[in-house]
Amino acid sequence: MSTIKNDTGAKPGSIYRIALQNFVTYKQVELFPGPSLNMIIGPNGTGKSTFVCAIILGLCGKTSVIGRAKKISEYVRSGCQDSTIEIELYQQPGQRNVIITRNFNLNDSSTWSIDHKTVREKQVQELIALLNIQVDNLCQLLPQDRVQDFSKMDPQQLLRSTLSAVNGQQSVNQLDELIKCRDQQRGLSTKLDNNAQLMQEQIRLNERLKLVIDAMKQRKEIEQQIEICEKKKLWIEYQDLREKVVECTNDKKEAVKLYNSHKTKMEPLEKVIEKAKSDISSLEQQKLRTSREVDTLKDRVKEAMNAVHTHEYTIKDIEASYQEKLERYKNRERELEEARVKLDKLMTDKTRLEEKVGDDSSVRMDLAELHKSITKTNAALEILKKQKLDAQYDLENNVIPQIRLYQNKKRNLEDVNVKRLEFLNSYSEDCYKAVLWLRKNKDMFQAPVYEPMMLEINFTDPKFARYLESTVPARDLVAFTFESTQDMNLFLQKVRTEGNLKRINAICSQPGKINTPPRDIQQLSYLGFYTYLIDTITGPDAIIRYLCKQYSIHRIPIGNDHTYNNSGSVPNDITYFYTENHRFTVRVSAYSGAKSSSTIEIRPARLLANTVDVDKRDNYTAQIENFEKTAQAHKNKIKVLDTKLGTLEGNLNELNTRRKTINEGIEKVKAISSQIRLQTNKIRDIENEPFFNIQQERDRCKKKQRNCVIKQCKLHEEICNDLKNLETKVLNGQMWKVKLDFKRNAIVQQESELRELKNELRNVQATLENIENTLARAKSTAKEKLVEAKRSCANKLPHEADFPYKKEFDKLPSDLNSLQEHCYEMQTRMDCMDKGDEQIIKEYEEREKMIAKLKTEVNNSSDMNKQLVGKMKKISSQWLPPLLVLLGDINRSFGNMFAKMGCAGEIKLDKGGGDEDYDKYGISVLVSFRQSEQLQQLTRHAQSGGERALSTALYLLALQQLTTVPFRCVDEINQGMDPINERKMFSLLVKVTTEFDNAQYFLLTPKLLTNLEYNAKIMVHTIMNGKAIMNYRKWKYNKFIENAPNYNM
């Protein structure tokens, strides 16, 4: 921050110091100008103008203001990388000076700082504007290369520069506002005249169409009445649908009660079955456990019996042994021989039996293999039984119910003709009765007869129904179709004359398919078209032929939203087409050939709303076929499983038989082995028999027999206990078996009941679904009808107070048939009237809108014009009087200066046109340098260079006393002046800049005349340059003054 304060009363914004570093020719220099006139002199090329460039660039000026180099990097001293400009400015009295520094480099990059703190350039600009410094105003700074540009300024530019230099930016802004208002006023005046002329022309054209339009308006009123009829018809139809919704809701409630009733019945039964299954599982475990215990007891009894028998055999053997010993003792040799023969026979029998049965290891292996086979067979039997049960369960509980479900759905879907017939009854009772009559009397006709189209036609997708209904009138959709004219006349006679059914329509169409030229919809796919109307419907050939011939449905394409957005690109040969929600009709005028199109939003289908969904029906049929195939596959699987079960059970019986045969052979081998052992012992005993004591042997034999009997008794006691337990276990097993059979029989009955309840529940559920579907369709239809009705009546309901058609609805019949007759009557009246050209109405209405718009614009333009005139008067009253006063002051000062020079000069306001043409306002500088000349405009062609320079200098001096800028700078303005004018100009300059409290002034010149008048307020700065010149810091000004007398020659 500077240490210098504004204590001398210097103007805020005037320059205290300029410091340059590496700028143009200066490596380093510092200039301290005076507060009044500063004369900077020196030879050409020494760097005088460099200070002007530094002031401009250092105070946010552009290089274009200087008029020299275009890039700021060109002001960097040669051989250096960057340059610095530092300018210290006075602020308000008592405040410290502000230092503005700009540093820039060879890359044209600049950095700014205020009081050595880095800031943005915008902050510097705000400070400079606050001090009213205008470096781009030639009236404040006039560089050497721009001196000639001053005389090139036109009066308008000179006025702006003068206002900016003297009165500041506010006066310039007022001028800009006046010019802007004047331009707007001119535009409004032109627009006002054009609009008024165009409005009269449009009124004249519309008067010619008035009569035609009146007739068309009358027809339009009838159309509106018909439209109101249609609106009320929508509400009546909605009421009918609402009643149907209520009826379906009641049916649903009853169905839900029935469903819940069945559900309630099922729940306890399911719990009972679940508990029974749990009991069966427990009983099976009990039975299995008892069976195992019985088998264990049987084995124990069998082992005990075998032991008893063994002891019995032992007792007998002991007795036999004793007898044999006794007998042997009597006949030892004979017995020994017989025993050996018997042993040989036993050995032979055993060998033969072992050959038949097999050895012990092979028998064990055979038994092990048989046991393994039996186990595998039992496991396979269990798996097959489970698979059979699973297949039966899936067949009975899943597949068959699904077949019934889809059959019900298909049946409900195919009942659409019943719904259509019901709707036909509500739409036209006569037509409904005629259909019933035709169904009873079809044999009266020779050729095929078709019921109304709405009963015969179906769609590939229900969404296409509204397109056909929007194309074909209702009278044809309820018309009967005949292939024979004779049949048609007979039918009409029967139903109209004899049956008194008046509202019956009939058409005649040839049989057979229609041959239409092939059309590829893919050629129109780029516009969003994806099918033709004929490809969306199915029906008898005679009906399709009639629709193609009468309504060309084979030439009506259907598109999507992309088609709607690109409707203008549809080929000219397509005059009727649909987008997603709109119908387009294209007409070509027979007179002018002009193409016009009308767009109508498509309403939801009514007569064809209930349509058979062919895809859904085919889907249901396919589902039924798939489930029937699955059911047949399950049945075939069950048969295969039964066959496999029979085979496995036969194999199991065969395996058990083989195991029994092997076990019997083993028992025989064991018995023979026991006999062989006894016989061998007998032979050994005979051979080794010592002396035989009959009494001792008898006692020993009895003792052995007694031991065996004791053991037998114990075994008999165990057998009795085991038999009692076995009896208990067998009885328990039988009891578990009986209970298990009872439980199984009971659960079979309960499962059968549950299955029946489930079937009934599925039927009830299917009925409920049908009712819900019917209710959903009814609600959807009612909702769509309500939306359609509300949309047609501005989203208002008939019972609301602000309903727009309340009075009209009250006048119309409330019965649908009566309303339909009234609508037909209005339609007949409208058909008798000339339809006219919609284009005429459109042109008339558009022209009326244009006339109203033009009237509004004319009124608005007139009001705006008045506002602009008032605004200009207000601004002009604030701006023009001060301007005239200012120009008067400048003119007096300018004229006096020119008079002192012996010439004449005048400054005046040049309006250039009218008083309100502010863009032509300017300052005219009139000068005359000779007594015989008239005052002439200052231009670069009329005056010489010296005369222009003198005029410029005097004009700037005239501004000096009036200016609000803190300083002014003029570079070499005296060049080209003759010595007399230069001396007079300098005298005026000194007087103006020093005698009054004016702004700081810089005059740069390479030379001065001798003997000019100076005073103490003038500060002369001499610029010298060269290699021998000392540095400015070494120059001692006071010392030079002291030594000056010594230098006098």
Side-chain angles (χ1 to χ4, degrees):
M1 181 178 290
S2 175
T3 59
I4 307 300
K5 291 185 179 180
N6 187 1
D7 296 331
T8 59
K11 277 198 171 186
S14 59
I15 299 174
Y16 169 74
R17 178 176 62 89
I18 301 173
L20 307 177
Q21 185 176 355
N22 298 329
F23 186 75
V24 192
T25 60
Y26 293 105
K27 183 176 182 181
Q28 190 174 22
V29 69
E30 203 168 18
L31 178 70
F32 291 88
S36 187
L37 177 60
N38 292 274
M39 296 179 61
I40 302 176
I41 62 174
N44 288 328
T46 55
K48 301 183 301 298
S49 300
T50 301
F51 284 99
V52 180
C53 297
I55 292 172
I56 293 172
L57 296 177
L59 297 177
C60 296
K62 306 298 181 185
T63 55
S64 58
V65 176
I66 302 172
R68 291 187 177 182
K70 294 182 178 180
K71 296 182 179 180
I72 194 171
S73 59
E74 298 181 29
Y75 290 89
V76 178
R77 188 169 181 265
S78 178
C80 298
Q81 297 297 318
D82 57 7
S83 181
T84 303
I85 302 172
E86 187 174 283
I87 300 176
E88 186 173 346
L89 302 175
Y90 286 106
Q91 295 203 84
Q92 297 296 329
Q95 292 184 353
R96 293 182 183 274
N97 292 352
V98 62
I99 301 174
I100 298 174
T101 306
R102 182 177 186 177
N103 183 274
F104 55 91
N105 55 30
L106 295 176
N107 295 325
D108 296 313
S109 175
S110 297
T111 57
W112 296 85
S113 63
I114 297 177
D115 291 333
H116 305 297
K117 294 181 180 179
T118 303
V119 296
R120 290 179 285 110
E121 184 178 2
K122 186 177 180 182
Q123 293 175 266
V124 180
Q125 291 173 348
E126 292 172 353
L127 176 60
I128 292 171
L130 187 65
L131 297 173
N132 199 27
I133 298 173
Q134 306 167 22
V135 295
D136 57 347
N137 190 343
L138 296 182
C139 290
Q140 181 175 357
L141 261 83
L142 190 61
Q144 177 183 348
D145 296 312
R146 299 290 304 278
V147 171
Q148 298 301 322
D149 291 344
F150 189 88
S151 60
K152 294 178 184 178
M153 286 195 297
D154 56 30
Q156 290 77 30
Q157 293 174 330
L158 183 58
L159 174 62
R160 284 179 172 276
S161 297
T162 301
L163 289 174
S164 178
V166 177
N167 291 340
Q169 190 62 32
Q170 182 180 1
S171 184
V172 177
N173 292 340
Q174 288 177 330
L175 175 60
D176 290 338
E177 187 67 23
L178 287 170
I179 293 172
K180 179 181 177 183
C181 292
R182 180 56 178 163
D183 290 340
Q184 291 179 354
Q185 187 194 20
R186 287 197 192 101
L188 283 174
S189 299
T190 304
K191 185 177 180 181
L192 183 63
D193 295 339
N194 293 339
N195 285 348
Q197 183 179 354
L198 179 60
M199 183 175 68
Q200 294 300 324
E201 178 66 20
Q202 297 297 320
I203 291 172
R204 183 179 59 79
L205 291 173
N206 259 17
E207 286 176 352
R208 296 180 183 177
L209 299 176
K210 192 94 168 61
L211 295 175
V212 178
I213 295 301
D214 288 341
M216 295 180 71
K217 281 185 177 180
Q218 187 178 359
R219 190 176 190 277
K220 199 76 174 177
E221 289 176 358
I222 297 176
E223 285 183 354
Q224 291 175 355
Q225 293 178 13
I226 293 174
E227 186 177 351
I228 291 173
C229 287
E230 292 293 334
K231 294 179 191 297
K232 183 163 184 179
K233 191 193 299 183
L234 291 174
W235 286 108
I236 294 174
E237 290 172 350
Y238 166 68
Q239 291 297 332
D240 294 342
L241 289 170
R242 188 178 177 187
E243 291 175 0
K244 185 176 180 181
V245 168
V246 173
E247 181 182 349
C248 290
T249 303
N250 294 331
D251 292 344
K252 180 184 175 182
K253 290 179 180 178
E254 294 297 326
V256 168
K257 287 181 182 178
L258 188 59
Y259 177 80
N260 292 333
S261 174
H262 281 73
K263 194 86 172 176
T264 305
K265 291 179 182 178
M266 279 178 56
E267 288 176 355
L269 192 57
E270 286 177 341
K271 291 179 180 178
V272 169
I273 291 174
E274 189 67 29
K275 186 176 182 305
K277 287 183 177 179
S278 176
D279 293 343
I280 288 172
S281 177
S282 177
L283 289 173
E284 285 177 345
Q285 294 295 328
Q286 291 286 348
K287 179 185 174 185
L288 181 61
R289 187 163 53 251
T290 304
S291 177
R292 289 173 181 170
E293 291 175 354
V294 167
D295 291 338
T296 303
L297 288 172
K298 282 183 178 180
D299 291 339
R300 285 175 59 187
V301 170
K302 188 175 180 181
E303 289 175 359
M305 289 296 293
N306 290 334
V308 169
H309 291 153
T310 302
H311 287 299
E312 185 69 29
Y313 293 147
T314 303
I315 292 171
K316 290 180 179 180
D317 288 343
I318 291 170
E319 183 64 27
S321 176
Y322 172 73
Q323 292 297 331
E324 285 177 0
K325 284 181 180 181
L326 183 61
E327 190 68 28
R328 189 166 57 249
Y329 178 75
K330 295 178 180 180
N331 195 0
R332 183 179 176 186
E333 291 297 330
R334 183 177 58 81
E335 286 182 2
L336 183 62
E337 183 63 27
E338 288 177 356
R340 287 174 178 170
V341 171
K342 187 176 180 181
L343 178 62
D344 291 337
K345 183 177 183 301
L346 289 172
M347 293 294 291
T348 302
D349 291 341
K350 180 182 178 183
T351 303
R352 191 180 300 114
L353 189 59
E354 284 179 346
E355 288 176 356
K356 182 179 178 181
V357 176
D359 60 359
D360 186 56
S361 61
S362 63
V363 168
R364 288 181 180 180
M365 290 177 61
D366 289 343
L367 286 174
E369 289 295 329
L370 285 173
H371 180 71
K372 189 185 294 183
S373 300
I374 290 170
T375 304
K376 286 184 179 179
T377 305
N378 284 325
L381 280 171
E382 291 297 324
I383 292 172
L384 290 177
K385 287 178 181 178
K386 187 176 183 304
Q387 289 178 354
K388 180 181 176 181
L389 289 173
D390 291 343
Q392 287 176 337
Y393 181 83
D394 189 49
L395 177 65
E396 295 174 359
N397 294 278
N398 292 328
V399 179
I400 294 176
Q402 286 293 328
I403 292 173
R404 291 173 183 164
L405 176 62
Y406 280 103
Q407 284 174 344
N408 291 332
K409 287 185 177 181
K410 182 179 178 183
R411 205 161 32 247
N412 294 332
L413 191 65
E414 290 174 344
D415 284 346
V416 68
N417 286 333
V418 176
K419 297 172 185 175
R420 284 194 188 176
L421 191 61
E422 291 175 357
F423 186 81
L424 179 63
N425 185 20
S426 63
Y427 180 78
S428 174
E429 188 176 356
D430 288 356
C431 190
Y432 172 75
K433 291 178 179 178
V435 169
L436 299 181
W437 181 88
L438 177 63
R439 291 181 177 179
K440 294 178 181 179
N441 299 280
K442 271 198 174 182
D443 55 348
M444 295 176 60
F445 305 100
Q446 299 175 355
V449 180
Y450 303 103
E451 295 177 1
M453 294 182 188
M454 64 175 287
L455 301 178
E456 297 285 353
I457 292 175
N458 285 308
F459 297 87
T460 57
D461 193 314
K463 71 176 183 178
F464 295 119
R466 57 179 182 155
Y467 299 128
L468 184 67
E469 191 165 322
S470 181
T471 304
V472 181
R475 64 175 183 273
D476 279 356
L477 291 176
V478 297
F480 294 81
T481 304
F482 295 84
E483 294 183 0
S484 168
T485 306
Q486 184 178 356
D487 288 345
M488 183 177 70
N489 293 334
L490 175 61
F491 173 77
L492 293 176
Q493 179 184 356
K494 291 291 184 181
V495 297
R496 284 184 177 175
T497 306
E498 298 178 10
N500 196 25
L501 303 176
K502 302 298 183 184
R503 294 171 58 191
I504 299 298
N505 293 332
I507 61 172
C508 186
S509 177
Q510 296 179 3
K513 292 186 178 181
I514 184 171
N515 294 322
T516 58
R519 291 176 178 267
D520 187 5
I521 195 65
Q522 294 300 323
Q523 296 178 357
L524 300 174
S525 60
Y526 70 97
L527 291 172
F529 290 113
Y530 58 90
T531 187
Y532 282 99
L533 185 55
I534 190 174
D535 297 327
T536 67
I537 65 175
T538 58
D541 292 337
I543 294 178
I544 302 298
R545 174 184 286 275
Y546 175 80
L547 294 176
C548 290
K549 181 179 180 182
Q550 197 69 19
Y551 301 104
S552 301
I553 62 172
H554 59 291
R555 293 188 299 189
I556 300 176
I558 300 173
N560 50 28
D561 290 336
H562 178 71
T563 311
Y564 181 81
N565 296 329
N566 296 273
S567 58
S569 304
V570 175
N572 293 333
D573 60 332
I574 299 177
T575 60
Y576 199 97
F577 62 92
Y578 287 97
T579 62
E580 188 70 25
N581 297 304
H582 296 83
R583 183 186 75 194
F584 282 79
T585 305
V586 182
R587 293 187 178 87
V588 180
S589 175
Y591 301 100
S592 62
K595 181 179 176 182
S596 64
S597 64
S598 62
T599 307
I600 298 175
E601 187 174 357
I602 307 171
R603 295 179 177 179
R606 294 186 303 118
L607 296 176
L608 299 173
N610 295 310
T611 179
V612 174
D613 191 333
V614 178
D615 293 338
K616 191 176 287 187
R617 182 186 63 190
D618 294 342
N619 180 40
Y620 289 164
T621 303
Q623 292 287 352
I624 292 170
E625 291 176 355
N626 290 335
F627 280 117
E628 287 178 346
K629 289 179 181 178
T630 305
Q632 188 59 41
H634 280 23
K635 292 177 181 177
N636 294 337
K637 183 178 179 180
I638 291 170
K639 289 182 180 179
V640 171
L641 290 172
D642 286 337
T643 304
K644 290 181 178 180
L645 284 170
T647 303
L648 287 174
E649 287 173 352
N651 293 338
L652 184 62
N653 292 332
E654 182 181 350
L655 291 171
N656 287 327
T657 303
R658 287 176 56 192
R659 183 170 65 175
K660 183 178 179 182
T661 302
I662 292 173
N663 286 329
E664 290 176 352
I666 291 172
E667 290 297 324
K668 290 180 180 179
V669 170
K670 285 181 179 180
I672 292 175
S673 296
S674 178
Q675 292 177 8
I676 289 172
R677 187 173 59 255
L678 293 174
Q679 198 67 22
T680 302
N681 292 333
K682 180 180 178 180
I683 293 171
R684 187 175 61 251
D685 291 341
I686 293 172
E687 289 177 346
N688 297 325
E689 189 176 67
F691 174 76
F692 184 70
N693 188 338
I694 295 174
Q695 187 60 40
Q696 280 184 342
E697 191 66 29
R698 181 67 180 169
D699 293 338
R700 189 166 47 250
C701 181
K702 286 182 178 181
K703 186 178 181 180
K704 287 181 180 180
Q705 286 179 339
R706 190 184 307 111
N707 291 333
C708 287
V709 169
I710 292 170
K711 290 180 180 179
Q712 278 184 326
C713 290
K714 290 181 179 179
L715 287 173
H716 279 297
E717 186 178 353
E718 290 178 2
I719 288 170
C720 287
N721 293 331
D722 288 340
L723 286 175
K724 288 179 181 179
N725 290 334
L726 180 61
E727 181 183 10
T728 303
K729 295 298 181 182
V730 169
L731 290 175
N732 289 337
Q734 292 296 325
M735 180 186 67
W736 295 128
K737 183 179 179 182
V738 170
K739 286 184 177 181
L740 188 61
D741 293 339
F742 177 77
K743 287 285 185 180
R744 282 175 175 167
N745 294 331
I747 197 174
V748 167
Q749 180 64 27
Q750 289 167 343
E751 283 181 341
S752 176
E753 292 178 7
L754 180 61
R755 196 176 298 113
E756 290 177 1
L757 282 175
K758 283 186 176 180
N759 291 333
E760 292 177 4
L761 182 63
R762 277 193 291 270
N763 294 332
V764 171
Q765 188 174 6
T767 304
L768 179 59
E769 288 178 359
N770 293 335
I771 293 173
E772 287 177 342
N773 293 334
T774 304
L775 178 60
R777 285 195 299 271
K779 283 184 176 180
S780 175
T781 306
K783 185 177 180 181
E784 291 173 359
K785 188 67 68 178
L786 177 61
V787 170
E788 183 183 1
K790 287 179 69 177
R791 189 190 302 121
S792 66
C793 299
N795 287 329
K796 300 294 181 181
L797 298 174
H799 61 270
E800 293 179 356
D802 56 347
F803 184 69
Y805 306 108
K806 192 170 186 65
K807 294 181 180 179
E808 291 84 350
F809 275 24
D810 291 340
K811 295 177 183 178
L812 292 173
S814 299
D815 178 59
L816 184 62
N817 292 331
S818 302
L819 183 64
Q820 188 75 36
E821 290 178 359
H822 179 71
C823 190
Y824 283 154
E825 181 183 350
M826 299 296 292
Q827 184 70 40
T828 305
R829 287 176 59 192
M830 188 183 73
D831 291 342
C832 294
M833 300 175 69
D834 186 15
K835 185 176 182 181
D837 191 355
E838 291 289 336
Q839 189 65 27
I840 295 175
I841 297 178
K842 189 175 181 181
E843 290 176 3
Y844 180 83
E845 291 176 350
E846 289 178 354
R847 196 173 286 123
E848 283 292 321
K849 291 179 182 178
M850 184 182 292
I851 291 170
K853 183 180 179 182
L854 289 172
K855 285 182 180 179
T856 304
E857 289 181 357
V858 167
N859 294 332
N860 292 340
S861 297
S862 179
D863 295 340
M864 183 64 72
N865 189 41
K866 291 178 182 178
Q867 292 176 7
L868 289 173
V869 170
K871 186 177 181 180
M872 284 192 296
K873 286 181 179 179
K874 181 179 178 181
I875 297 173
S876 179
S877 65
Q878 299 172 356
W879 175 77
L880 188 57
L883 175 64
L884 294 175
V885 173
L886 172 65
L887 293 182
D889 294 341
I890 296 173
N891 181 48
R892 281 192 298 274
S893 179
F894 187 74
N896 291 335
M897 291 181 188
F898 258 84
K900 291 178 181 179
M901 302 285 292
C903 304
E906 182 182 353
I907 302 297
K908 67 176 183 178
L909 179 64
D910 183 8
K911 294 186 178 181
D915 290 341
E916 295 180 350
D917 295 333
Y918 298 103
D919 56 331
K920 296 180 181 179
Y921 274 33
I923 295 177
S924 291
V925 180
L926 303 175
V927 295
S928 174
F929 292 92
R930 299 166 189 83
Q931 292 183 356
S932 59
E933 285 182 348
Q934 296 290 330
L935 290 172
Q936 294 182 347
Q937 182 81 27
L938 179 64
T939 63
R940 62 176 181 170
H941 303 294
Q943 289 81 23
S944 65
E947 292 172 342
R948 293 197 302 275
L950 179 61
S951 301
T952 301
L954 294 180
Y955 186 81
L956 294 177
L957 286 174
L959 294 179
Q960 183 71 11
Q961 295 178 350
L962 306 171
T963 186
T964 59
V965 296
F967 64 86
R968 182 174 279 110
C969 182
V970 179
D971 190 2
E972 297 190 12
I973 197 171
N974 58 339
Q975 296 302 306
M977 294 184 189
D978 59 75
I980 298 173
N981 288 334
E982 184 178 355
R983 187 176 297 277
K984 291 180 180 179
M985 187 276 298
F986 184 80
S987 177
L988 290 172
L989 176 63
V990 170
K991 182 178 181 180
V992 170
T993 57
T994 61
E995 292 183 0
F996 304 98
D997 186 15
N998 290 325
Q1000 192 178 36
Y1001 204 98
F1002 293 87
L1003 175 63
L1004 287 79
T1005 180
K1007 64 179 181 63
L1008 284 174
L1009 297 174
T1010 58
N1011 300 321
L1012 294 175
E1013 295 181 3
Y1014 298 93
N1015 60 36
K1017 291 186 177 182
I1018 298 175
M1019 181 177 285
V1020 179
H1021 306 271
T1022 304
I1023 306 297
M1024 299 299 291
N1025 206 346
K1027 293 183 179 179
I1029 302 298
M1030 71 173 65
N1031 187 281
Y1032 77 97
R1033 294 184 183 275
K1034 296 180 180 180
W1035 176 260
K1036 305 299 182 182
Y1037 172 77
N1038 293 329
K1039 187 176 180 181
F1040 178 79
I1041 295 299
E1042 292 176 0
N1043 296 331
N1046 300 328
Y1047 299 141
N1048 288 336
M1049 300 299 296

